[in-house]
Amino acid sequence: MAVRDPFSLEGKLSVVTGGLGLLGSAITKALAESGSKVIVLDIDCSGGEKVSSDLRDTNHNIFYEKGDITDFEKIKVNIENLEKKYGNIDVWVNNAYPRTEDWGDKLEVVKTESFRRDVDIQLNSYCICSNEIALRMAARQEGSIISIASIYGTVAPDFTIYEGTDMTTPAAYSAIKGGIIAYSKYLASYFRNDGLRINVVCPGGIYNNQSEEFIKRYSGKTLLGRMAGPYEIAWPVVFLASRAASYITGTTLMVDGGWTTI
């Protein structure tokens, strides 16, 4: 049966956690441009009100709500309150990137307490949010959950691209992103009979004014020869949220310019 504009999210309500960041704002705008009403869930009150106001002025149906996904005890009630205020949530995007102040320390000096805390606030927050929204979606027999992971959740980092820079990839990052992928597959299987689709997007490196040397090294490892723009990650999220992806669940979509191909 032909479906009129299967990529449209008209009439849908989406939530993007960490929706004010570089990638989060691109995902938020892409969802809105596809017809969805979007709730930006973020801890930045001043930034949230400004961004949501600016976007509404451009006819985007976007609203800001303060929300801290690392406050595990309030996740359930916060989701309940969102649905009471806005209606049933159709699409939930786990995108927030909470981390400790010493995030980025090398393995030799990373504190056990920090490693444990980062796994807790990044990985476990995604899992708990997914659990709570999945149960509500399952009761309605419909919904899409999309989590943002990373290529480093599937392959080892190439540390040579960081040489001579002040950049690295933290040890906890790979553990967290790999866990997000594995748990999303678990949920996709667990809710297989409940009308849910649960998927992961794994971005490669996103351009954000990094050093020229890093950009050159990173780009040289991709088949497309460059880093991604935020929207190039956002539109695959929209695809997975839409009816165009109605037969896709439990998958890990690599959006990496071919990095993981070779």
Side-chain angles (χ1 to χ4, degrees):
M1 181 179 68
V3 179
R4 179 180 165 185
D5 194 0
F7 297 94
S8 173
L9 296 176
E10 196 72 37
K12 299 295 184 180
L13 175 63
S14 303
V15 173
V16 181
T17 70
L20 296 179
L22 176 70
L23 181 55
S25 59
I27 292 172
T28 296
K29 292 175 186 176
L31 288 166
E33 288 168 8
S34 298
S36 180
K37 178 187 289 186
V38 186
I39 301 169
V40 173
L41 196 63
D42 207 294
I43 61 174
D44 182 1
C45 290
S46 58
E49 293 298 344
K50 182 181 186 306
V51 168
S52 57
S53 176
D54 290 347
L55 291 171
R56 280 198 297 273
D57 289 343
T58 58
N59 297 319
H60 286 86
N61 206 6
I62 297 173
F63 302 87
Y64 169 77
E65 291 288 339
K66 183 178 181 180
D68 182 0
I69 65 168
T70 70
D71 189 348
F72 299 157
E73 300 304 317
K74 293 183 179 179
I75 287 176
K76 181 176 182 178
V77 68
N78 285 344
I79 292 175
E80 289 175 350
N81 288 338
L82 285 176
E83 292 205 322
K84 286 178 183 177
K85 183 174 181 178
Y86 293 97
N88 293 338
I89 296 169
D90 302 292
V91 178
W92 183 277
V93 182
N94 286 310
N95 168 77
Y97 189 35
R99 51 208 183 274
T100 58
E101 290 185 1
D102 56 355
W103 179 255
D105 280 356
K106 292 187 176 181
L107 179 64
E108 293 86 348
V109 298
V110 67
K111 300 179 181 66
T112 300
E113 179 182 348
S114 294
F115 193 103
R116 179 184 295 167
R117 176 64 177 158
D118 281 313
V119 170
D120 203 22
I121 61 178
Q122 285 191 44
L123 172 58
N124 292 338
S125 65
Y126 274 38
C127 294
I128 295 170
C129 284
S130 295
N131 289 350
E132 294 297 338
I133 193 62
L135 289 169
R136 300 182 75 84
M137 289 176 171
R140 302 190 295 267
Q141 291 286 298
E142 184 177 20
S144 175
I145 300 172
I146 303 155
S147 293
I148 304 300
S150 167
I151 56 173
Y152 286 165
T154 65
V155 297
D158 180 353
F159 288 98
T160 65
I161 66 173
Y162 303 110
E163 291 176 355
T165 75
D166 59 356
M167 301 171 61
T168 190
T169 182
Y173 187 81
S174 289
I176 291 163
K177 297 305 186 180
I180 289 169
I181 294 167
Y183 194 67
S184 296
K185 291 179 181 292
Y186 173 93
L187 289 181
S189 180
Y190 191 87
F191 290 102
R192 64 194 180 280
N193 297 320
D194 296 302
L196 274 67
R197 295 186 301 102
I198 301 171
N199 295 291
V200 177
V201 170
C202 284
I206 301 172
Y207 175 75
N208 191 24
N209 297 309
Q210 295 93 339
S211 70
E212 290 185 12
E213 185 61 29
F214 173 80
I215 294 171
K216 180 180 178 181
R217 289 176 181 171
Y218 186 95
S219 299
K221 285 188 61 68
T222 69
L223 296 183
L224 295 183
R226 61 180 177 83
M227 301 185 77
Y231 267 94
E232 293 180 294
I233 312 300
W235 287 113
V237 172
V238 172
F239 164 66
L240 288 174
S242 75
R243 290 173 296 173
S246 60
Y247 198 57
I248 300 177
T249 192
T251 196
T252 302
L253 180 59
M254 310 305 296
V255 189
D256 63 356
W259 172 291
T260 55
T261 302
I262 54 175

